[in-house]
Every structure is written in C-alpha cells, then in structure tokens.
Amino acid sequence: TSVNELFREHMGQSAIQYLIALRVRFACLLLRDTTVPVKEIVWRSGFRDIVNFHRTFKKNTAMTPLEYRREFCFLIAG
C-alpha cells in the first residue's frame, strides 16, 4: 500500500494503471511496426486473454487493435 501511494504521488497514477498503459503502448508498437498476429501480440504484451486485451486496448486508444493496425501500420498500407 505504501509503495502504491508513493508511486501515485510521483507518477499521478497507480502502479497497475501505469503497467496497463505500458502494455498498451508496447502493443501499439507491435501493431504499427510488425505483421505479428494480434493473438501473438496479446501474449507478448502481457495480457492473459484476447477479450481483456481488446477491451483494454479500445478503452486506451479509442480503436480496436485491427483498426489501429489498418490506420498506422506502413507494412500493410495499400
């Protein structure tokens, strides 16, 4: 509890919120810069299941993972 309070005081968010944001940013990098399947990105970015990943990703980016990839991945640009 004390560590979390210190973390929140210095970072402005809880440790778990920071970790989730970090995982989503990593997933964004993989979606943007690779053609790794989304199922693999779920695992690589530290999420346990695809449903939770989709929900969390959309909450943090306002896009689904596939929408994000279509928008930002230069490897699949038509």
Side-chain angles (χ1 to χ4, degrees), residues 22-67:
L22 189 64
R23 288 176 175 175
V24 169
R25 283 194 305 268
F26 182 67
C28 286
L29 288 173
L30 291 175
L31 289 165
R32 188 188 72 211
D33 297 340
T34 72
T35 57
V36 173
V38 174
K39 287 181 181 180
E40 178 75 12
I41 291 173
V42 171
W43 176 80
R44 287 187 187 186
S45 56
F47 288 89
R48 291 183 181 196
D49 64 81
I50 198 162
V51 173
N52 185 39
F53 172 72
H54 274 268
R55 185 182 321 115
T56 304
F57 191 91
K58 188 163 186 172
K59 181 180 176 183
N60 284 271
T61 65
M63 303 173 99
T64 67
L66 290 177
E67 290 170 341

